[in-house]
Amino acid sequence: MTDIQEFLSLPMETLVILAAGYIGYKISYTGRNKHHRTIDIAFISLTFGLIAKLALNNIADITGTPIVQAGLSIVIAALVSAIWRAWIEHLAKWVLRTTNISYSDGTLSAWDAMRTSHHCRPSQLVVRQINGTQLLCDNLIQFQEYPHGPCIYGEDGSIAMYVTHFRQDGGAEWDHCNPLEPDYGVAITFIPARQIAEIEIRHSTSV
């Protein structure tokens, strides 16, 4: 409790910068931060905190209300971090690959790279379980407006999906099933990572 009290006794500007920095970090690296060390978190947060500090300095003359100044600086830092996540990070990785500096995308695994990419639009999903059963969502797009739609890629390798077809081990044909029941709603199926042998994801190539 003493540590919290001492932390909250810091100047308001310092607290705003620290809060903005951490918010910026969470927005820009949510789902991609499992391998980050404490020093990584600290310096990335510091970078976005610096943006909030610069914003705070530049809007000081616009309004004399400290609360408004603090709010605007946090919003600006959050907006910059969202822009980084959406466009700039992808561009930076492209530059590194093009210049033969690095072909790594900074994620911990190939699965992390797939599940956190917003540039790919999955259109079909097949999950092969270790018992041989295969589950298929034939058209993910039709489920994108449903809860948790169109599917969920778990950090642990699990999958939640709307199953439209299934096939037993050795089966040649897919059996159709409808996850949508008019009287009860739509059913989503959760498959734990320990039950999954292979995941096949088809992506739309349309622009």
Side-chain angles (χ1 to χ4, degrees):
M1 181 62 71
T2 302
D3 292 338
I4 296 177
Q5 291 175 341
E6 291 179 356
F7 180 79
L8 293 177
S9 66
L10 293 172
M12 177 60 68
E13 179 178 328
T14 302
L15 291 175
V16 168
I17 293 171
L18 291 174
Y22 187 69
I23 291 172
Y25 168 74
K26 293 297 289 184
I27 292 174
S28 57
Y29 286 98
T30 292
R32 303 180 182 180
N33 57 357
K34 287 191 298 183
H35 61 294
H36 283 180
R37 298 168 296 173
T38 301
I39 192 170
D40 296 320
I41 299 173
F43 276 94
I44 294 172
S45 298
L46 181 62
T47 300
F48 290 112
L50 177 60
I51 293 172
K53 170 63 175 176
L54 294 174
L56 200 59
N57 290 343
N58 283 278
I59 64 178
D61 297 331
I62 299 177
T63 174
T65 307
I67 294 179
V68 174
Q69 294 176 2
L72 284 175
S73 63
I74 291 176
V75 168
I76 291 172
L79 181 60
V80 170
S81 66
I83 293 174
W84 166 265
R85 177 69 179 256
W87 296 291
I88 301 177
E89 183 183 25
H90 181 71
L91 177 61
K93 291 176 181 177
W94 177 83
V95 171
L96 291 175
R97 289 195 304 269
T98 303
T99 56
N100 294 322
I101 294 176
S102 174
Y103 291 92
S104 171
D105 63 0
T107 53
L108 186 61
S109 66
W111 175 243
D112 283 340
M114 291 172 62
R115 70 179 182 79
T116 61
S117 174
H118 59 276
H119 294 281
C120 299
R121 292 179 293 176
S123 57
Q124 190 180 74
L125 174 63
V126 178
V127 174
R128 296 183 178 87
Q129 298 179 272
I130 57 176
N131 64 3
T133 303
Q134 300 179 41
L135 304 176
L136 165 68
C137 182
D138 189 46
N139 183 9
L140 289 168
I141 297 174
Q142 66 180 316
F143 298 104
Q144 62 184 357
E145 301 301 327
Y146 288 106
H148 309 296
C151 61
I152 297 176
Y153 301 154
E155 287 191 18
D156 61 346
S158 60
I159 289 283
M161 61 185 292
Y162 297 97
V163 179
T164 61
H165 300 77
F166 68 94
R167 182 165 60 186
Q168 299 296 339
D169 187 17
E173 301 294 333
W174 288 98
D175 294 316
H176 176 76
C177 58
N178 188 359
L180 181 60
E181 170 56 54
D183 294 331
Y184 298 101
V186 65
I188 190 169
T189 301
F190 171 75
I191 308 102
R194 65 180 180 274
Q195 295 181 9
I196 297 176
E198 185 179 72
I199 299 171
E200 180 180 306
I201 305 171
R202 189 182 301 275
H203 293 98
S204 172
T205 57
S206 60
V207 178

